Amino acid sequence: MRAKITYAVTAAVLVFYFVLVGSRGVMLIQSGTVITVTFGIVVLILPVIGIWFLWKNTQFVRNANRLAAELDAEGGLPVDELRRTAGGRIDRDSADEVFARRKAETEDAPDDWRSWFRLAVAYHDARDTPRARKAMQRAIALHDGRPVPA
């Protein structure tokens, strides 16, 4: 729940920022000189990119949560079997062991979104966020019957 609140607050702050920057871009365009109009258009592009990025990330999180809820209902969520350090961090060797099992499971069933979901969690636990995101995107695509990203 804490992560959802943090995400919502961050998204709200970003939207406020986008509105603020967008209003400055409009003010620059209204100035009417060639330089300020050009700069105003460039400034307006930043909030558009930011809104697109925020929308894509929100979609990704919602889709991943939808898959997690479905997997939880099936009783297929991965069990947290990782050892932790005294400070509460995941032990790297433990994460590597679980990752090896999840990778083998995914290689045995490459078209099963459930195995890709569990592999994404293993990547995340091993602190490999880019691969975790790719694996989750593949799980979402397989689940939804869409073409699988390369």
Side-chain angles (χ1 to χ4, degrees), residues 3-150:
K4 287 181 182 180
I5 292 170
T6 302
Y7 189 82
V9 169
T10 304
V13 168
L14 280 172
V15 168
F16 174 75
Y17 172 76
F18 298 150
V19 169
L20 185 65
V21 169
S23 69
R24 299 296 178 207
V26 170
M27 286 173 32
L28 285 167
I29 291 170
Q30 289 173 343
S31 295
T33 67
V34 174
I35 291 178
T36 59
V37 169
T38 303
F39 192 57
I41 290 170
V42 170
V43 168
L44 283 176
I45 291 171
L46 295 175
V48 170
I49 292 170
I51 288 169
W52 174 83
F53 184 75
L54 183 62
W55 173 251
K56 294 304 277 184
N57 277 310
T58 302
Q59 273 186 314
F60 175 77
V61 169
R62 290 180 70 211
N63 286 332
N65 286 339
R66 179 174 46 92
L67 264 59
E70 187 173 330
L71 202 56
D72 187 30
E74 295 174 358
L77 277 179
V79 178
D80 186 2
E81 54 190 310
L82 300 168
R83 293 184 303 274
R84 310 242 183 231
T85 64
R89 295 184 63 115
I90 295 172
D91 178 61
R92 183 76 172 178
D93 293 334
S94 175
D96 289 344
E97 290 171 17
V98 172
F99 173 78
R101 287 199 314 266
R102 298 293 182 225
K103 186 174 180 187
E105 173 188 325
T106 304
E107 288 170 351
D108 290 342
D111 295 329
D112 182 17
W113 68 267
R114 293 162 187 84
S115 63
W116 281 100
F117 183 95
R118 288 187 282 268
L119 181 64
V121 172
Y123 270 127
H124 182 267
D125 291 341
R127 298 186 192 115
D128 192 346
T129 306
R131 286 191 179 124
R133 189 171 183 90
K134 288 260 188 219
M136 187 61 72
Q137 287 170 340
R138 189 177 196 102
I140 292 167
L142 285 169
H143 179 270
D144 295 346
R146 291 185 283 116
V148 178

